[in-house]
Amino acid sequence: MNIGQAAKASGVSVKMIRYYDEVGLVRPAGRSEGNYREYEAREINELRFIRRARGLGFDMEEIAQLLSLWRDRGRPSRDVKAIAQRHLANLDTRIREMQSMADTLRHLAHCCAGDDRPDCPILEDLGGWEAGDLGPVVGPGG
C-alpha cells in the first residue's frame, strides 16, 4: 500500500510516517518503480506499535529501544520491563508536579476576589512578591 493507505491503516499521519522514516525509527519502506514508498503488513504493525507507545507518552528514544526489543523475539522481558518502569517513574513524578501546580493555582484562584480591584494574589505570586512588599525587583517592561 502507498503512504496514504498506510497512514489510514496505522492511524499515523503521512507527515509522521515520513518523519519516522527520516529519523530512522522505522525501517525504510520498499519503493515502487515510480519511487513511491510501499508499505506491507510488517510496516503497518510497526507504525501501530509506535502510535500506541506515543499514546502512552514514551519518548522517541524509548520507542526506538522498545521497537528494537519488539523486533527481537529472543529479548529478555526484563529489558522491556525496565524501560516501562523508568517511564512510569517519570510519569509519576510529572503527575506529582502537575498536582502541585494545580493545588497552587486552585489556592491562588480561591484567594483572588476576581472583582474590579487591582489587587490580585495570582499576579503577586507570579511576580514573586506579596502584598505589602516593596514590589518586584524589576517591574513590567524593564
Side-chain angles (χ1 to χ4, degrees):
M1 53 179 79
N2 66 32
I3 195 167
Q5 293 166 325
K8 188 171 186 173
S10 67
V12 176
S13 71
V14 169
K15 181 179 178 180
M16 290 308 295
I17 292 173
R18 287 188 177 120
Y19 174 72
Y20 297 151
D21 185 36
E22 181 182 314
V23 298
L25 187 60
V26 294
R27 294 180 266 211
R31 296 284 182 157
S32 69
E33 287 183 27
N35 203 30
Y36 291 103
R37 291 177 177 94
E38 292 183 329
Y39 296 86
E40 297 187 15
R42 184 194 81 207
E43 288 92 2
I44 302 303
N45 287 335
E46 289 183 0
L47 290 168
R48 287 178 181 150
F49 180 100
I50 294 166
R51 185 192 72 214
R52 178 68 176 140
R54 296 274 301 176
L56 291 173
F58 286 101
D59 64 30
M60 296 297 281
E61 182 180 329
E62 292 167 326
I63 293 172
Q65 293 170 348
L66 290 167
L67 197 52
S68 176
L69 290 166
W70 187 58
R71 290 171 180 154
D72 177 6
R73 299 294 179 201
R75 84 263 164 185
S77 64
R78 78 177 142 276
D79 294 347
V80 179
K81 186 174 182 175
I83 294 168
Q85 286 179 317
R86 277 192 310 271
H87 182 64
L88 183 57
N90 289 335
L91 286 175
D92 287 338
T93 298
R94 288 174 40 205
I95 289 167
R96 282 190 303 276
E97 290 169 350
M98 292 179 77
Q99 187 60 57
S100 177
M101 286 187 277
D103 291 344
T104 299
L105 284 172
R106 191 174 291 107
H107 172 74
L108 291 170
H110 174 75
C111 292
C112 181
D115 56 18
D116 291 334
R117 294 180 295 166
D119 296 339
C120 180
I122 299 168
L123 294 177
E124 290 168 4
D125 182 82
L126 293 173
W129 55 284
E130 297 190 21
D133 283 354
L134 295 175
V137 175
V138 177

